[in-house]
Amino acid sequence: MLVATASIFIVQAKAQVIVIANPGVKASDVSKSDLKDVFTGAATSLKDGSGVVPILLKAGTVHEEFLQAYIGKNDTAYRAGWRSLVFSGQGSMPKSLDGDTDVVEFVAHHSGAIGYIGKATPHDGVKVLTVK
Amino acid sequence: MDGGLPPINHERTETEETLSQRMWLAGQAGDAPARFARDRLISKCTEREWPSAIQFQLRRLMMRRLLVGALAFALGAIPVTAQSLEDLNIQIHGYATQGFVYSTHNNWDTLNSSDGSPSWTEAVVNVTAQPQPKLRVGVQARYFLLGGFGNTVSLDWANADYKFNEKFGVRFGKVKTPEGMFNMTQDIDPAMIWSILPQSIYPVATRTSILSHLGGVVYGTLRLPAKAGTLGYQGWAGERIVAANDPLLEAFAEGGILFPSGVTGHTDGATLQWHTPLQGLMLGASESSNSNNGPSTLAGMFSGQETSGSFQIPFYFGQYEHGRLTLNSEYMRLPFYWNFNYTNGPVLKVALDFRNWYGMASYRVTNKFAVGSFFDSSINQQAPLGPARFQKNWDISARYDLSSFLYLKAEENLLNGTGGIGVSYYPVNNTGTLNPKSQLTILKVGVSF
């Protein structure tokens, strides 16, 4: 019973978050491992060669759900990973925005940008990537 | 003191074991008299020393020019691609930590830790710019104070990074050396649960000298066929410079061996990380070739040259992440050969052979609270049996994040043995007999932005 409840919760969590990208990004879908690599700084392109730049939310439910569902870490552990890259000269911290609408606005106008928002947020001007 | 210093016999060649004990097993020196002796020796530098000393300085100057040239090249490319300050994507980040250290016996790393000491402060600030997605340039300065060591600001890294694609990128200038599992990140306190990593492989005192080199790194990630995971590689080559006052050389000062100009040497090697098909499991290995050379003086009486020849350092490591749990383990062998040839003086040889390993586990209890533990072992195969041959450590750590920027750490270490590469019981504040067993408590507060 507990396992079933937990599974339903995870499915619901994933369902509340969608991954969006600038319309210039060629891919229409993305694998979970590709998504994890891009958002942890391990990769700067998708499997099809599309160069992408991750955009984060600063905090909030959507941010936490995205990290749990696709990165497998909480916010503290996730940002610790980026600090390792930033302070060892291997990367720059991704841009963090305040809210979903800010992410939509930024992704729509910046080539290669990829982000995540709540499913209910209007997202005209961006493409939605299916996570496989 | 445990394993006290044998007298120097200038009429014979030192045995490996004798000098090994002098350098490492008896403790490591950072005392003021040794520094004064070194300064005096520099001022009395004989004519015969000048050729090697001048060559040494010329090599160092050339490497610095290479660094400046690399950065100038990278910075020169910026106006071509960037149209505004926003396009440069300039970022400034930093962190600062303050530690408090208490030990039940022995004083740790030149701190008066048996009385409780707050003399452990580190601060870092960096500026990076990314004028285009494939190019990033940056520089990081670092302040380091650990007891009698440091209290200086140094250039941590300054490099340009161009990533052609996922398979190939290059970073050059002063770069972090991608050796082992944590060498590049071992000093990044905000990224870790621990206050100290296993000291057998990542000693705190020598962070300034062994974390980076002047030269370059190539890196990339290859997707393996048949869903066999990915293979990350990093190869590096360049020169490592160890300053005259670095804790690594203070060990020799205890035996009367001084390096007026520090030492330099090549370092090159490669690291592979295989991210296996089993999600969360990474296996890796490193192999590096290194050397250390520099003008040296002995007991204020002889001058000459230190040469190490080339020595290999292998690492084997693995990491497994599953949910909130992370497991790590690593093995490293450090064979260490330094030869000293003094004009009209003795020929000395230092040979050490450390076999070091650790296993660690950490668990994130909540978003703000994490705990961890590791067991760490370092054994010098060249040393005689006894507590001065090894050091083992059980570590228990906890970290609490007060906010995204502010955190606290508490750590207890159960130390056994007075040998091992990571042992930092320096004679300057350990004048009595060392106790083989000691507990080390570390409290830390850190802030990052």
Side-chain angles (χ1 to χ4, degrees):
Chain A
M1 182 66 179
L2 281 175
V3 173
T5 305
S7 299
I8 291 169
F9 175 77
I10 292 169
V11 170
Q12 285 179 337
K14 284 188 180 180
Q16 300 306 312
V17 179
I18 58 174
V19 177
I20 60 173
N22 183 273
V25 173
K26 287 182 288 185
S28 58
D29 54 51
V30 57
S31 70
K32 189 177 174 182
S33 64
D34 270 7
L35 199 59
K36 183 176 181 179
D37 286 347
V38 166
F39 276 88
T40 56
T44 53
S45 64
L46 302 178
K47 195 173 289 185
D48 66 357
S50 304
V52 288
V53 179
I55 305 299
L56 311 179
L57 283 166
K58 282 183 179 173
T61 307
V62 172
H63 175 63
E64 294 290 346
E65 286 183 359
F66 174 80
L67 294 182
Q68 286 300 323
Y70 298 117
I71 310 300
K73 293 182 177 178
N74 61 35
D75 182 65
T76 305
Y78 176 67
R79 293 190 189 277
W82 273 105
R83 287 188 180 112
S84 290
L85 298 177
V86 168
F87 290 119
S88 61
Q90 298 180 85
S92 297
M93 195 70 83
K95 187 177 284 290
S96 291
L97 302 175
D98 289 324
D100 290 18
T101 53
D102 299 319
V103 172
V104 173
E105 176 74 12
F106 189 91
V107 169
H109 293 96
H110 289 81
S111 177
I114 180 173
Y116 51 89
I117 57 173
K119 188 177 183 180
T121 304
H123 45 272
D124 291 340
V126 299
K127 67 191 295 184
V128 177
L129 299 184
T130 304
V131 182
K132 295 191 295 185
Chain B
M1 173 168 294
D2 193 14
L5 297 178
I8 296 177
N9 181 353
H10 302 301
E11 302 302 322
R12 63 177 176 84
T13 299
E14 289 270 352
T15 64
E16 296 175 350
E17 292 79 5
T18 302
L19 202 53
S20 298
Q21 288 182 29
R22 186 197 312 287
M23 295 303 135
W24 294 93
L25 305 182
Q28 303 167 349
D31 52 329
R35 294 183 188 214
F36 289 137
R38 180 180 58 231
D39 294 343
R40 192 173 64 247
L41 284 168
I42 293 172
S43 66
K44 290 183 177 178
C45 193
T46 65
E47 289 184 5
R48 274 181 298 192
E49 282 183 88
W50 281 109
S52 59
I54 290 172
Q55 288 173 15
F56 182 87
Q57 293 297 344
L58 283 174
R59 279 203 309 275
R60 182 175 289 187
L61 185 61
M62 287 176 64
M63 291 306 294
R64 285 180 178 163
R65 286 184 174 176
L66 176 65
L67 172 62
V68 171
L71 288 176
F73 170 79
L75 292 170
I78 289 175
V80 176
T81 54
Q83 303 301 313
S84 69
L85 279 178
E86 186 180 358
D87 288 342
L88 290 176
N89 188 22
I90 293 175
Q91 295 188 3
I92 300 174
H93 294 285
Y95 66 82
T97 66
Q98 176 59 52
F100 177 83
V101 182
Y102 172 75
S103 56
T104 56
H105 301 89
N106 313 329
N107 285 307
W108 183 76
D109 257 329
T110 71
L111 287 83
N112 291 319
S113 55
S114 58
D115 294 329
S117 172
S119 186
W120 185 8
T121 307
E122 294 185 71
V124 154
V125 63
N126 71 39
V127 181
T128 59
Q130 191 163 5
Q132 58 156 289
K134 293 183 177 181
L135 175 65
R136 190 181 64 256
V137 295
V139 58
Q140 180 163 290
R142 183 163 173 267
Y143 172 77
F144 178 64
L145 169 68
L146 183 69
F149 294 140
N151 198 21
T152 56
V153 176
S154 62
L155 182 66
D156 207 10
W157 50 261
N159 57 57
D161 185 314
Y162 195 87
K163 186 174 183 179
F164 292 88
N165 52 46
E166 296 299 337
K167 294 178 181 175
F168 184 73
V170 60
R171 189 179 306 127
F172 55 98
K174 185 172 186 183
V175 295
K176 287 286 186 86
T177 310
E179 191 168 21
M181 187 152 47
F182 292 125
N183 193 60
M184 292 184 80
T185 58
Q186 62 166 290
D187 58 335
I188 305 174
D189 195 74
M192 294 187 295
I193 291 172
W194 328 93
S195 291
I196 56 171
L197 283 172
Q199 296 293 282
S200 66
I201 298 182
Y202 303 109
V204 171
T206 54
R207 282 175 170 177
T208 304
S209 58
I210 64 173
L211 265 62
S212 58
H213 67 271
L214 289 171
V217 173
V218 295
Y219 63 91
T221 302
L222 308 174
R223 292 181 191 274
L224 301 176
K227 296 184 178 179
T230 60
L231 184 67
Y233 73 89
Q234 298 189 84
W236 73 92
E239 183 173 42
R240 183 170 284 152
I241 296 173
V242 180
N245 62 350
D246 191 272
L248 186 68
L249 301 182
E250 295 284 358
F252 291 94
E254 170 64 12
I257 297 174
L258 303 178
F259 299 87
S261 309
V263 297
T264 65
H266 82 273
T267 178
D268 50 70
T271 294
L272 296 176
Q273 292 192 353
W274 177 35
H275 295 269
T276 69
L278 178 60
Q279 190 171 2
L281 178 63
M282 181 275 292
L283 302 173
S286 281
E287 176 85 17
S288 67
S289 173
N290 306 270
S291 66
N292 291 299
N293 308 290
S296 175
T297 62
L298 173 63
M301 299 173 63
F302 305 102
S303 62
Q305 186 76 15
E306 180 276 325
T307 54
S308 70
S310 188
F311 55 95
Q312 314 294 319
I313 305 177
F315 292 77
Y316 306 99
F317 51 88
Q319 175 172 285
Y320 180 65
E321 291 181 288
H322 183 76
R324 299 177 176 194
L325 177 70
T326 302
L327 305 173
N328 303 84
S329 188
E330 187 165 19
Y331 169 85
M332 179 257 263
R333 180 182 176 189
L334 179 61
F336 201 66
Y337 306 108
W338 293 39
N339 302 305
F340 300 84
N341 289 290
Y342 295 105
T343 305
N344 300 321
V347 175
L348 308 179
K349 295 181 184 294
V350 176
L352 303 148
D353 188 2
F354 289 101
R355 313 291 174 94
N356 308 318
W357 72 274
Y358 65 82
M360 59 164 45
S362 62
Y363 187 80
R364 291 201 172 270
V365 181
T366 69
N367 197 17
K368 292 179 177 292
F369 183 58
V371 295
S373 181
F374 65 73
F375 176 75
D376 180 27
S377 172
S378 177
I379 298 174
N380 178 11
Q381 301 282 11
Q382 298 278 345
L385 295 176
R389 177 181 170 87
F390 67 90
Q391 188 174 60
K392 297 174 182 178
N393 179 23
W394 270 109
D395 172 290
I396 302 170
S397 299
R399 167 174 169 156
Y400 188 81
D401 286 79
L402 297 167
S403 70
S404 299
F405 310 103
L406 189 63
Y407 60 87
L408 304 172
K409 293 182 179 181
E411 186 165 304
E412 185 71 10
N413 293 269
L414 308 178
L415 300 165
N416 183 11
T418 60
I421 189 71
V423 172
S424 300
Y425 296 148
Y426 290 81
V428 63
N429 57 353
N430 284 295
T431 53
T433 301
L434 289 174
N435 193 320
K437 293 191 176 182
S438 180
Q439 295 180 32
L440 182 69
T441 305
I442 302 174
L443 304 174
K444 252 187 180 182
V445 58
V447 60
S448 66
F449 62 89

